[in-house]
Amino acid sequence: FHQYQVVGRHNATEAQPEPKLFRMKLWATDHVRAKSKFWYFLSKLQKVKKANGQIVACNEIFEKRPTKINNYAIWIRYESRSGVHNSYKEYRDVTLNGAIEQMYTEMGSRHRVRKSALNIIKTSIVAPKDCKRVGTIEFHNPKIKFPFMSKGVIRPPTKSLKTTFKYKRPSVGLV
């Protein structure tokens, strides 16, 4: 997914030569789908549709520092089998697009929500002290350690060294 900024407006008329501009930040796989989403949401919010409107600009938004890890908060609205729900999610990632990708994957797997039934209301970067979810808080410890897994069972280099029974258990655990 890529983040796009789409700016559009109503077509100019004699009554309104300078129509109001509308800007949206959207996530889509390409600029064509971003424009389509823009018209979908704008027609619901304002009395403007694609037939009587025009797109002024469509730009992809890139991350300023795509190597810095951030905590991202995402407010979403989605339609499930039982109704419409609002939700708040937190993710740790290096880019907002990566966090959005995680959110779409999680919502599809845990809640069976399709991408078309999911609306992103708002996103923001959250300071570590303001995080609410345990899944993101547990990575804030500066002394966090991950187990080093060895390569697994070491295979014998030749068939002649292969034995059915070993006198020692293989060490594949934590080193």
Side-chain angles (χ1 to χ4, degrees):
F1 276 86
H2 303 280
Q3 187 179 9
Y4 290 94
Q5 173 184 280
V6 184
V7 181
R9 66 179 191 171
H10 199 283
N11 282 337
T13 59
E14 290 179 13
Q16 198 175 23
E18 287 292 323
K20 191 173 168 184
L21 290 171
F22 300 102
R23 180 181 70 115
M24 276 187 209
K25 288 183 180 178
L26 303 158
W27 279 268
T29 51
D30 56 0
H31 67 94
V32 177
R33 291 184 185 197
K35 290 175 187 176
S36 175
K37 273 188 172 183
F38 173 78
W39 289 122
Y40 172 78
F41 289 120
L42 192 62
S43 65
K44 290 191 175 300
L45 297 169
Q46 299 287 327
K47 202 168 182 179
V48 181
K49 57 183 185 176
K50 190 177 179 182
N52 58 17
Q54 68 185 68
I55 288 182
V56 177
C58 181
N59 307 321
E60 187 174 347
I61 298 173
F62 296 99
E63 209 71 30
K64 283 181 184 172
R65 291 179 64 192
T67 55
K68 184 178 181 283
I69 295 173
N70 285 315
N71 303 310
Y72 292 100
I74 304 171
W75 287 265
I76 56 172
R77 176 186 177 273
Y78 65 95
E79 293 175 39
S80 70
R81 293 173 185 148
S82 59
V84 179
H85 309 282
N86 293 320
S87 183
Y88 169 81
K89 300 278 181 188
E90 282 180 359
Y91 299 98
R92 271 178 77 81
D93 209 300
V94 289
T95 62
L96 182 56
N97 292 345
I100 294 293
E101 192 72 44
Q102 283 184 50
M103 186 263 309
Y104 274 118
T105 306
E106 182 195 351
M107 292 303 291
S109 61
R110 283 197 181 160
H111 304 285
R112 301 290 185 260
V113 177
R114 291 182 181 83
K115 291 174 185 172
S116 59
L118 208 147
N119 299 333
I120 299 166
I121 297 168
K122 185 172 112 176
T123 61
S124 69
I125 295 174
V126 183
K129 63 180 175 66
D130 298 329
C131 286
K132 300 173 186 173
R133 303 292 184 254
V134 178
T136 55
I137 292 171
E138 67 184 353
F139 289 103
H140 294 162
N141 182 4
K143 295 181 180 178
I144 191 169
K145 290 186 177 181
F146 297 98
F148 175 73
M149 303 302 284
S150 64
K151 294 179 184 175
V153 179
I154 298 169
R155 306 280 177 212
T158 60
K159 197 167 186 174
S160 63
L161 295 173
K162 183 181 178 214
T163 58
T164 307
F165 301 105
K166 296 282 182 197
Y167 70 93
K168 188 174 126 185
R169 291 182 70 181
S171 60
V172 293
L174 306 174
V175 174

